[in-house]
Amino acid sequence: MLDIKRLINEKEQMIASLNLRGSDFTQEIEEIIATYEEYTKKLNAMEVAKSELNKKSKLIGQYKKAGKDTTELFAEIESLKQDTDKTVVDELRNSYTSRLMKIPNFLQADTPIGNDDEDNVEVKVYGEKPHFDFEPKQHFEVTSMQLDFDRAAKISKSRFVITKGLVARLERAITNYMLDTHSDRGYMEIGVPFIANQDSLYASGQLPKFENDLFKIAQNGGEDDEFENERSFYLIPTAEVVLANMHRDEIIEEGELPLNYTAYSQCFRKEAGSAGRDTRGLIRMHQFGKVELFKYTDEATSNAELEKMVEDAEKILQDLGLHYRIVRLCSGDVGFGASKTFDLEVWFPSQDKFREVSSCSNVWDFQARRGKIRYRDAEGNVKHPHMLNGSGMATGRILAAILENFQNEDGTVEIPKVLLPYLNR
């Protein structure tokens, strides 16, 4: 959530930044500011009325002791009580905050200007395209017997998969290798729940914007069901949701920063609006595994920490020997909550193109404000930390990249050396 005071003080710059995303936010911002100003006006009036009410209430005893008529005094008190009613103030606060929740993050000043992923800026290329003496197969053709989409669809629906045998073991090896690597580079491994409550989804930024992409858990239990009277629950779309809420409603001491976390989770997404895209294979699934990277830091170091996060994600691809590139996302392609994003894209021979396997973003204080997360600096000042997230990485896409890039003509696959210990080979 944007800082409402910054939105007011830097209105023109903030609107200009938001409008680079491809929509005109001018009217929405003007309305939010107007509602906020009405809220502060009513709040101040209520505080003045409370002060006057306290003064008048103290006079009652004095009036009675002195034998004075209290009729007019009680009338004034009743009038002041009406002026201290919180209803209007609460309605105004809820109005501007609910609308502010739907406004995306500002973009950092050096963000490339563009409309979509075609306008992203390449900043680095690593390695070379693999050479084949045969026509390379798509990943789901290389090991077709060990990727069972038909049975998965029978059990759940399309865009789910059952992995078998060596492919299942390979994905597990990839997961364990990534967690070990990130732990060795200073990230604390966290085991996370795969179900999150509504407050957590709001704090991390998935709600209300991405309601249609989430799998909501229906609650039809009886009176003894512990979930019956709870607010809504969702399957998490990423471990970012959990890690972004680790310190919700808390104050962190500055000396603890940066906090570096890594976590594996299954991720659940409806992929609303992606009909017809990547309908075959592991690229766009409703359920997939992912190792997440997450940082809590301060404003002064957050962009430097983002660079480190990108390097940590790169380490995985370099160790695996995959050809990849890094792109800086343009204004029209940066995600809702991000202010700056780098994508890492791996080469897929069968498609003759790079595909995203990791996205690393500086979210600034956007999530911290939504989750009321703060830290106390050395002078005792309480501030909002900056929060960063990145894929470290999506295991299914890395599995697909390995199957494609290291395939042999006879259908076998060369396994990257760093994974062999995890396969007992």
Side-chain angles (χ1 to χ4, degrees), residues 181-405:
T181 300
H182 294 315
S183 295
D184 289 344
R185 293 176 74 88
Y187 292 84
M188 178 187 290
E189 183 175 347
I190 305 294
V192 300
F194 294 175
I195 294 175
N197 59 35
Q198 194 175 58
D199 290 342
S200 298
L201 273 296
Y202 270 101
S204 59
Q206 274 71 33
L207 288 176
K209 174 71 174 178
F210 302 106
E211 173 81 30
N212 292 334
D213 264 327
L214 300 172
F215 282 100
K216 188 174 182 177
I217 300 174
Q219 297 172 46
N220 299 313
E223 60 182 18
D224 294 329
D225 187 340
E226 63 177 306
F227 292 97
E228 179 66 15
N229 296 317
E230 299 288 336
R231 300 177 70 185
S232 299
F233 290 85
Y234 298 82
L235 296 175
I236 61 171
T238 164
E240 174 195 341
V241 171
V242 180
L243 300 179
N245 282 274
M246 286 276 288
H247 300 283
R248 193 174 80 218
D249 299 317
E250 295 179 14
I251 298 179
I252 305 165
E253 295 302 323
E254 185 178 39
E256 299 178 52
L257 300 177
L259 292 169
N260 301 319
Y261 296 133
T262 186
Y264 169 79
S265 77
Q266 288 292 307
C267 307
F268 303 87
R269 302 179 186 180
K270 289 183 180 178
E271 293 289 351
S274 64
R277 298 169 58 194
D278 300 311
T279 55
R280 302 181 69 192
L282 300 172
I283 300 300
R284 197 175 299 276
M285 307 292 290
H286 290 308
Q287 177 185 336
F288 59 93
K290 180 159 69 78
V291 173
E292 186 74 10
L293 302 176
F294 203 91
K295 290 175 179 276
Y296 291 76
T297 184
D298 57 26
E299 179 177 352
T301 61
S302 64
N303 277 332
E305 290 292 339
L306 177 62
E307 299 282 350
K308 290 181 183 178
M309 179 178 282
V310 172
E311 291 175 3
D312 293 332
E314 278 189 273
K315 166 74 172 160
I316 301 298
L317 300 179
Q318 290 172 3
D319 284 356
L320 293 173
L322 291 166
H323 174 45
Y324 70 90
R325 69 173 185 169
I326 301 174
V327 296
R328 174 78 187 274
L329 265 57
C330 72
S331 57
D333 201 31
V334 174
F336 175 80
S339 69
K340 182 177 185 177
T341 300
F342 293 97
D343 274 6
L344 283 75
E345 301 176 344
V346 163
W347 182 256
F348 275 75
S350 70
Q351 299 181 31
D352 196 34
K353 66 187 294 187
F354 288 101
R355 299 301 303 263
E356 181 229 321
V357 292
S358 174
S359 189
C360 299
S361 298
N362 186 348
V363 182
W364 212 252
D365 59 0
F366 192 78
Q367 290 174 324
R369 289 183 179 279
R370 297 170 80 103
K372 298 179 182 178
I373 304 167
R374 295 143 292 165
Y375 75 94
R376 184 182 290 108
D377 68 16
E379 287 73 41
N381 301 308
V382 176
K383 304 176 180 178
H384 291 287
H386 285 197
M387 294 157 71
L388 294 75
N389 65 77
S391 308
M393 319 185 149
T395 57
R397 290 194 178 194
I398 293 298
L399 172 63
I402 289 173
L403 295 177
E404 287 208 10
N405 282 276

Side-chain angles (χ1 to χ4, degrees), residues 23-160:
S23 300
D24 189 348
F25 290 89
T26 306
Q27 183 175 345
E28 291 176 77
I29 299 303
E30 294 284 4
E31 290 176 354
I32 289 170
I33 291 174
T35 305
Y36 175 77
E37 290 175 342
E38 180 66 14
Y39 158 74
T40 56
K41 179 181 176 182
K42 295 288 187 183
L43 179 63
N44 290 335
M46 186 180 74
E47 293 301 325
V48 170
K50 278 184 178 180
S51 178
E52 285 298 311
L53 180 59
N54 288 335
K55 292 177 182 178
K56 298 290 185 183
S57 297
K58 290 178 181 179
L59 292 176
I60 294 174
Q62 298 176 24
Y63 272 43
K64 289 182 177 180
K65 188 174 182 179
K68 289 185 178 181
D69 183 5
T70 58
T71 304
E72 185 176 340
L73 180 60
F74 274 112
E76 291 175 358
I77 289 173
E78 287 303 314
S79 177
L80 287 169
K81 284 182 178 179
Q82 294 179 17
D83 293 337
T84 59
D85 185 359
K86 287 180 57 183
T87 304
V88 173
V89 171
D90 288 345
E91 287 177 353
L92 288 169
R93 184 183 64 248
N94 292 337
S95 177
Y96 89 78
T97 54
S98 64
R99 281 186 280 181
L100 198 55
M101 282 280 193
K102 299 176 183 177
I103 302 297
N105 205 352
F106 79 98
L107 300 171
Q108 294 195 30
D110 59 348
T111 302
I113 308 304
N115 297 317
D116 52 36
D117 58 4
E118 294 294 325
D119 297 319
N120 293 338
V121 177
E122 185 176 273
V123 297
K124 179 178 180 178
V125 178
Y126 178 90
E128 298 180 354
K129 299 176 185 178
H131 173 73
F132 296 94
D133 295 325
F134 57 94
E135 186 69 26
K137 296 179 180 179
Q138 298 187 75
H139 63 274
F140 51 85
E141 297 172 325
V142 175
T143 54
S144 58
M145 297 299 291
Q146 293 179 313
L147 292 172
D148 197 332
F149 295 97
D150 292 337
R151 285 193 175 95
K154 177 178 65 176
I155 294 166
S156 51
K157 62 170 295 179
S158 61
R159 296 197 182 182
F160 288 84

Side-chain angles (χ1 to χ4, degrees), residues 157-191:
K157 62 170 295 179
S158 61
R159 296 197 182 182
F160 288 84
V161 66
I162 292 172
T163 56
K164 303 177 183 178
L166 286 174
V167 170
R169 289 183 60 200
L170 179 57
E171 185 171 16
R172 177 159 52 90
I174 292 167
T175 301
N176 290 337
Y177 152 71
M178 290 194 295
L179 285 171
D180 285 350
T181 300
H182 294 315
S183 295
D184 289 344
R185 293 176 74 88
Y187 292 84
M188 178 187 290
E189 183 175 347
I190 305 294

